[in-house]
Amino acid sequence: MNWIHRPRWLTRATLTAVLPLALVACGQQYPNTTFSPHTEFGRAIDGLWDRLLFWGVLVFVLVELALVFIVVKYRRRDAAPEPEHVHGHTVLEITWTLIPAVILVIIAIPTVKTIMRTEAPAPANALQVKVIGHQWWWEFQYPQYGVTTANELYLPSGRTASFSLTSVDVLHSFWIPQLGGKRDLITNHENHLWFTPDSALGPNAWNGFCAEFCGSSHANMRFRVFTVSAPDFESWAAHQASAAVFAAPPAAAPADSAGRGRRGGAGTNVSAAPQTPAQPAVMPVGYSFPREQLPAYTKPTTPLPKDLVFDATLVGDAERGRAKFAVSACIGCHTIKGTPTAIGTTGPNLTHVGSRTTIGAGLFPNDAQHLRLWVKDAQAMKPGAKMLPMGLGIPDAMTGVKGALTDQQIADIVAYLLALK
Ligand code: CUA
C-alpha cells in the first residue's frame, strides 16, 4: 500500500506543516505591515486584496482537488483497458470558459471601483504636502504653512493629507506601509496620492520607505511619519515655518507641563505667536514628537563605520559653530531660514534640524555623536551620499584638497545645529 492510500497520514502531515507556519504569523508585531491599515486608502487596498485572495484560494483549491481526484482515479492500472478517447465537448468547453469569465468580472468590478476611488481628486480642504524625492532623502513642503522640512512628515490625525509627488533626479516611490502608497515620484511629472489618517489614531510614529530602486542608497532612503492631534500639528507647523532662532548660551529648559514634548531652550522662537504680558519671556518652541514616546521600530540601528573616529572629549561651542557654518561650504547646499548666506537647496533644509529624530534619511539617531561623524564623513556613513566629507576636505581642481574642518570645528557646528530646535 503506498502513501496515497493513507489519507489520515496525509492529513496529519499537512497539518503539522501548516500549523507552525500559521502560528508564526501571530507571533509578533509587524510595524511595516500593509495588513493593518490606518487610513481609508489603506483599507480600500486591503479590502481589495482580501477579495482577490478569497477568489484566488477558492480557484486554487478547486483546481487542485480536481487535479488530485483525476490523477488518482484515472491513474494507470496494469489490468485496466485503455480509456476511451474523447474529442470536443461543447457543454464542458462553454462551462470552463464562462466560469473564469464570471470570476474575472467579479474581480474587475471592485478593482476598477478602488482605482477610481484612490485616483479621485482629494477633498478641497485637505492638507497639501509636496513630496520631492532626492538621491537619497525626502523633501517635504507644506505650502499652506510655508514649511520646508526633510525626512520627517507630520500629519494631523483625522485630516486628509493630499500629496503631490515629484523627483529631482531618478524614480523614487513614496510608501508608508500602514498608511498608504506606493506611488512613484517622477521627474517632470506630478503624481498624486491622498489619504486620511484615522482620527482615533492618537500620537504615533510610522516608518516610511522608498519603494523604487533608485541607486546605491535606495535602501537608506527612509523617513518617519508622525500622526499627531490637530493642535499639535498647528503648533509644529507654526514653529517650523518660523526662522531659526538661535540664542547662546542656551536657557534652561522649562518644565514640560503639557507633557507633550514641547521644548524650550536654545532654539527659542518668538515669532510663532504674539507675546502677551502673561507669557514667560522664553517662548516654548513648537510641538515635536516626544522622543521618549518613539516606538522601538522607528529607532535606527545602522552600524557605524569602524574606521571613522571622532574625539569624543571635545565640547562644541554653538555660537562658534554658527559663525563657522555661515562661511563654510555647508551654505552651498543647506538652507537655514534667517541666515542670509545659507540658502542652498541641494541638501535638506536645516532650519529646525535639531527637532528631528534622525539624520541621513532615517539612518542614524539625531544626536551629537552621530551628527559629528556625519558632518565629518557622510559618505562613509551612507554609500553614495552627496554630502561632502567636511572633515576630510573638499577636492578642488585648482589647488587640490582644501578646507577640511577640524574635529573641534565640527563639534562647534554640531552644537549649533542641534540647538536649532
Ligand atoms: Cu529613492 Cu529608492
Side-chain angles (χ1 to χ4, degrees):
M1 201 188 269
N2 62 29
W3 61 272
I4 205 76
H5 293 109
R6 294 176 170 175
R8 244 183 299 171
W9 180 89
L10 197 65
T11 314
R12 242 179 286 152
T14 313
L15 275 179
T16 314
V18 168
L19 261 178
L21 277 178
L23 287 175
V24 162
C26 318
Q28 60 183 103
Q29 288 293 313
Y30 291 95
N32 303 328
T33 179
T34 54
F35 298 127
S36 167
H38 299 288
T39 61
E40 78 283 58
F41 181 97
R43 273 188 294 277
I45 305 284
D46 192 50
L48 187 61
W49 154 257
D50 287 347
R51 259 178 214 237
L52 295 184
L53 183 70
F54 169 80
W55 285 103
V57 167
L58 186 72
V59 169
F60 175 80
V61 167
L62 292 180
V63 167
E64 294 308 307
L65 280 179
L67 187 70
V68 168
F69 173 77
I70 287 164
V71 164
V72 172
K73 185 169 164 64
Y74 298 104
R75 71 190 184 281
R76 181 171 176 167
R77 290 183 179 89
D78 289 340
E82 193 172 316
E84 186 195 344
H85 286 226
V86 181
H87 292 281
H89 192 301
T90 313
V91 176
L92 258 185
E93 284 166 18
I94 289 177
T95 309
W96 72 50
T97 306
L98 275 184
I99 290 177
V102 169
I103 292 177
L104 284 182
V105 169
I106 292 173
I107 289 173
I109 290 172
T111 303
V112 172
K113 265 182 159 169
T114 306
I115 291 173
M116 309 251 271
R117 219 176 119 192
T118 55
E119 292 285 336
N125 61 346
L127 170 73
Q128 306 291 331
V129 184
K130 235 181 130 182
V131 179
I132 303 164
H134 297 254
Q135 282 176 316
W136 288 271
W137 59 281
W138 301 85
E139 182 175 349
F140 299 122
Q141 296 179 2
Y142 297 72
Q144 293 149 320
Y145 292 84
V147 170
T148 299
T149 183
N151 303 322
E152 298 201 348
L153 189 60
Y154 279 71
L155 299 176
S157 297
R159 182 174 174 192
T160 302
S162 173
F163 303 93
S164 74
L165 312 160
T166 55
S167 168
V168 297
D169 35 52
V170 297
L171 288 182
H172 304 276
S173 181
F174 179 74
W175 187 35
I176 311 149
Q178 297 213 38
L179 300 181
K182 314 157 177 173
R183 197 147 290 174
D184 279 5
L185 281 66
I186 303 170
T187 325
N188 296 332
H189 173 81
E190 208 172 272
N191 262 348
H192 294 273
L193 172 74
W194 60 270
F195 56 68
T196 316
D198 293 344
S199 46
L201 259 186
N204 220 325
W206 315 93
N207 285 330
F209 302 92
C210 179
E212 178 84 51
F213 181 71
C214 55
S216 54
S217 263
H218 157 67
N220 302 326
M221 185 171 167
R222 310 174 202 166
F223 60 105
R224 301 287 182 273
V225 184
F226 301 111
T227 47
V228 301
S229 72
D232 283 347
F233 174 78
E234 295 295 329
S235 159
W236 173 84
H239 179 62
Q240 294 286 319
S242 68
V245 177
F246 170 73
D256 188 3
S257 53
R260 292 188 306 188
R262 283 172 206 286
R263 295 189 192 95
T268 50
N269 165 40
V270 289
S271 59
Q275 274 204 25
T276 63
Q279 285 171 310
V282 176
M283 294 283 291
V285 302
Y287 172 87
S288 61
F289 195 86
R291 289 191 185 207
E292 61 278 10
Q293 283 179 28
L294 283 173
Y297 58 79
T298 62
K299 293 181 183 166
T301 54
T302 317
L304 287 168
K306 286 190 181 64
D307 43 1
L308 183 59
V309 291
F310 199 95
D311 184 354
T313 62
L314 292 176
V315 178
D317 179 288
E319 179 52 44
R320 251 188 351 236
R322 186 194 59 75
K324 185 65 188 165
F325 186 96
V327 296
S328 67
C330 315
I331 57 176
C333 296
H334 296 287
T335 292
I336 292 182
K337 217 176 186 179
T339 302
T341 53
I343 50 171
T345 53
T346 315
N349 184 307
L350 299 180
T351 306
H352 297 285
V353 65
S355 69
R356 296 176 200 155
T357 65
T358 63
I359 55 168
L363 264 199
F364 299 98
N366 186 15
D367 55 30
Q369 185 211 355
H370 291 87
L371 195 50
R372 284 169 167 192
L373 293 174
W374 179 263
V375 175
K376 187 167 185 177
D377 189 358
Q379 294 172 359
M381 305 269 282
K382 179 172 176 174
K386 306 260 165 88
M387 165 95 179
L388 297 169
M390 301 302 292
L392 307 185
I394 303 145
D396 184 281
M398 298 291 287
T399 58
V401 171
K402 65 164 190 178
L405 296 176
T406 63
D407 277 10
Q408 181 60 59
Q409 286 170 324
I410 291 174
D412 294 344
I413 287 175
V414 165
Y416 164 60
L417 293 177
L418 290 179
L420 300 175
K421 296 294 185 192

